[in-house]
Amino acid sequence: MAKLKIIVSATSLFCTRIEWALKLKGLEYELTVEDWDKGKSELLLKSNPAHKKVPVLLDDGVAIAESKVILEYIDEKWKGGDLYPLLPQDPYERAQARFWAQFADDKCVFGTWGACCAVDALEKEKAVENALESFAYLEKQIEGKKFFAGDKIGYLDLVAGWIPHWLGVMEETGGIKILDAERFPSLHEWAQNFIKIPLIKECVPPRDFLVNYSIALLSYLRSSALNKP
Amino acid sequence: MAEEVVLLDFWPSPFGMRVRIALAEKGIAYEYKEEDLRNKSPLLLEMNPVHKKIPVLIHNGKPVCESLIEVQYIDEVWHDKSPLMPSDPYERAQARFWADFVDKKIYDLGRKIWSTKGEEQEAAKKEFVESLKLLEGELGDKPFFGGEVFGFVDVALVPYYSWFHAYETCGDFSIEAECPKLVAWAKRCMLRESVSRSLPDPQKVHGFVLELKKRFGVE
């Protein structure tokens, strides 16, 4: 049995970033995939009782939850020598990486998802505007660099790493356009460079699987929104 | 080179209090600048253009934003004194997890307690108490969340103690009755000068909340 296990869902963008981190560190791991149709597994409920969410890293049975917390754990436990560093060494640069990671998750992921879910035209337009403002900040951060971490990928690239694969699915199924190559040329180029990396590409879920899941989820959310009194 | 540390803050902010406590724990001299959040200074807008929020720590002219990020930064730069984070990676992960839990739950639920009524307020109170009980469980029989040593989660949570009186009065409930161990922990933290000097008087906080309620038209 592998010492390292990740409790994941088949589609969650928060889970794949953990796989990427473990692969960069050269660590072997097993996936245990939640079947949402069966409800949350005993293992998940026991491993993350506070939030009951994926991903959870099980290190020799010991559970660590919250994807950005897990990334820092992986970086701190397996460090030094030839091991791939995820976060920068300098405290100020670490603070910057943490700041932008939090921003990317809070504003870009949830901003985009909010725009996808919005049904009312005016609400949708406003949500897209807000998302575009947030992406403009990320564009400025990547300007002049190949990756957020510099010449090689790092922590912030992993956290923003949903953009090349998941964002297109959200745009298509949500009826929105965010990552415009003209509007965000540096981010667009970064996305293409990032997804080309073999260990990155080999972990992402198949696109049509994500599309079908997204369509079903949006349809469910929209119908429950419409059915609210 | 002499270190120049400035903190842009607002006296009732639990987020600001976290940074004050961390700076005090490390014995760092700094300039405290009070912001009027209805009339934000050019310095604040320049140092935190993304969120335009306090607290902002400015170290030798360079800004660090987001309170838990600032506390970690302070801990890493001034690492020789009073470490706030444990050294073991798993314990560090737990500290970050619970500090993040505090961030996800306490402020928003607390806000709902003083700014809503009826069913919405009751639901907020229930979830607020549940969250505190979970934290109480995590504390267990330890003197601090950090164990024997005052640490990161203690810093993240204890500022809310200055808001408990306001929450209790607005919500008509007793936090001590629901979570006696947690209140005992908070009083223990208050024995530390870094904490007692960084938290405002709960009566003052309550007065501030009453003003906010008037301003937002909440009875």
Side-chain angles (χ1 to χ4, degrees):
Chain A
M1 189 192 78
K3 208 178 80 120
L4 286 169
K5 231 188 214 182
I6 326 171
I7 310 175
V8 298
S9 77
T11 56
S12 165
L13 61 93
F14 298 102
C15 296
T16 312
R17 51 176 74 158
I18 309 302
E19 287 194 71
W20 290 332
L22 292 174
K23 282 199 189 279
L24 283 169
K25 296 284 186 182
L27 294 165
E28 305 225 335
Y29 60 90
E30 242 174 57
L31 293 178
T32 162
V33 186
E34 290 287 303
D35 180 353
W36 296 137
D37 289 336
K38 293 204 176 123
K40 297 182 182 188
S41 72
E42 272 304 310
L43 182 64
L44 176 59
L45 297 175
K46 194 183 71 169
S47 306
N48 188 3
H51 299 305
K52 308 175 177 58
K53 286 183 174 175
V54 292
V56 181
L57 179 71
L58 294 167
D59 184 357
D60 219 355
V62 172
I64 300 109
E66 285 302 304
S67 65
K68 295 192 290 294
V69 173
I70 299 170
L71 290 177
E72 292 221 33
Y73 172 77
I74 291 168
D75 200 36
E76 288 180 347
K77 185 162 177 184
W78 289 278
K79 69 170 186 215
D82 281 338
L83 287 166
Y84 195 98
L86 297 178
L87 276 109
Q89 289 287 69
D90 172 72
Y92 187 75
E93 289 181 39
R94 290 162 73 82
Q96 293 306 299
R98 286 172 178 146
F99 175 88
W100 287 110
Q102 194 176 305
F103 177 87
D105 271 353
D106 291 351
K107 301 286 182 185
C108 299
V109 175
F110 292 105
T112 303
W113 186 243
C116 287
C117 294
V119 182
D120 173 78
L122 223 66
E123 203 192 303
K124 205 171 185 76
E125 198 185 313
K126 191 156 187 256
V128 170
E129 244 176 69
N130 285 339
L132 289 174
E133 264 176 45
S134 300
F135 274 79
Y137 277 113
L138 276 194
E139 170 75 11
K140 259 173 77 180
Q141 284 305 301
I142 193 65
E143 237 163 53
K145 297 197 286 194
K146 184 172 187 199
F147 296 112
F148 286 100
D151 291 328
K152 297 198 297 181
I153 61 173
Y155 170 78
L156 186 50
D157 299 277
L158 299 190
V159 173
W162 64 281
I163 292 170
H165 191 70
W166 278 260
L167 179 57
V169 172
M170 289 191 199
E171 287 172 324
E172 188 184 312
T173 57
I176 58 172
K177 183 68 186 165
I178 305 280
L179 189 54
D180 189 281
E182 262 184 57
R183 191 185 208 129
F184 303 127
S186 304
L187 200 57
H188 188 258
E189 197 182 331
W190 163 83
Q192 313 225 299
N193 286 330
F194 184 79
I195 202 67
K196 259 198 303 219
I197 300 170
L199 74 75
I200 299 295
K201 192 163 191 182
E202 71 196 25
C203 295
V204 302
R207 198 178 190 276
D208 39 9
F209 181 72
L210 276 184
V211 168
N212 291 337
Y213 175 77
S214 188
I215 291 172
L217 181 58
L218 283 173
S219 156
Y220 167 76
L221 291 171
R222 282 167 185 165
S223 67
S224 9
L226 287 171
N227 287 333
K228 274 199 182 124
Chain B
M1 181 180 82
E3 303 277 19
E4 196 201 271
V5 181
V6 178
L7 178 64
L8 305 182
D9 201 348
F10 177 50
W11 69 268
S13 164
F15 306 103
M17 290 174 220
R18 291 166 169 176
V19 187
R20 290 174 227 162
I21 295 169
L23 290 167
E25 284 285 317
K26 303 286 185 175
I28 298 162
Y30 67 97
E31 187 188 346
Y32 179 95
K33 284 194 161 154
E34 185 75 19
E35 283 284 332
D36 175 359
L37 297 184
R38 289 191 288 170
N39 185 19
K40 295 177 181 180
S41 74
L43 182 62
L44 173 57
L45 299 177
E46 184 198 334
M47 291 288 145
N48 191 359
V50 177
H51 300 300
K52 305 173 178 59
K53 286 182 175 178
I54 57 90
V56 181
L57 182 76
I58 311 172
H59 183 205
N60 294 331
K62 297 197 313 190
V64 183
C65 305
E66 294 300 301
S67 62
L68 293 180
I69 294 175
E70 292 166 67
V71 172
Q72 284 185 90
Y73 174 80
I74 289 165
D75 200 41
E76 289 171 14
V77 172
W78 289 275
H79 53 84
D80 291 338
K81 184 170 180 201
S82 305
L84 295 170
M85 286 285 272
S87 43
D88 171 70
Y90 174 69
E91 289 181 37
R92 291 163 73 86
Q94 289 305 98
R96 288 181 178 125
F97 175 87
W98 287 107
D100 175 72
F101 178 85
V102 173
D103 258 5
K104 280 180 158 82
K105 299 282 182 183
I106 308 300
Y107 183 79
D108 287 337
L109 290 170
R111 192 195 167 95
K112 283 195 176 148
I113 292 174
W114 68 256
S115 68
T116 67
K117 305 179 284 192
E119 259 181 57
E120 205 183 339
Q121 191 191 45
E122 285 308 306
K125 272 163 65 177
K126 184 166 178 273
E127 205 186 333
F128 181 82
V129 168
E130 272 167 21
S131 303
L132 288 187
K133 286 193 159 149
L134 222 67
L135 286 162
E136 221 181 23
E138 175 56 23
L139 176 67
D141 289 320
K142 307 195 298 284
F144 301 108
F145 284 92
E148 295 300 314
V149 171
F150 181 79
F152 190 62
V153 182
D154 304 284
V155 175
L157 182 59
V158 79
Y160 289 100
Y161 181 62
S162 64
W163 280 71
F164 278 5
H165 173 65
Y167 294 149
E168 286 172 324
T169 313
C170 296
D172 189 25
F173 71 123
S174 162
I175 295 174
E176 185 156 16
E178 300 279 0
C179 305
K181 275 189 162 175
L182 201 68
V183 172
W185 157 83
K187 291 180 175 168
R188 196 176 305 128
C189 292
M190 285 292 283
L191 297 174
R192 299 178 82 77
E193 221 179 286
S194 65
V195 178
S196 61
R197 287 197 171 190
S198 302
L199 267 55
D201 186 318
Q203 299 284 358
K204 216 178 156 199
V205 173
H206 184 216
F208 170 71
V209 169
L210 290 177
E211 249 182 64
L212 284 180
K213 281 168 75 117
K214 234 190 281 175
R215 205 188 299 161
F216 290 112
V218 185
E219 280 157 42

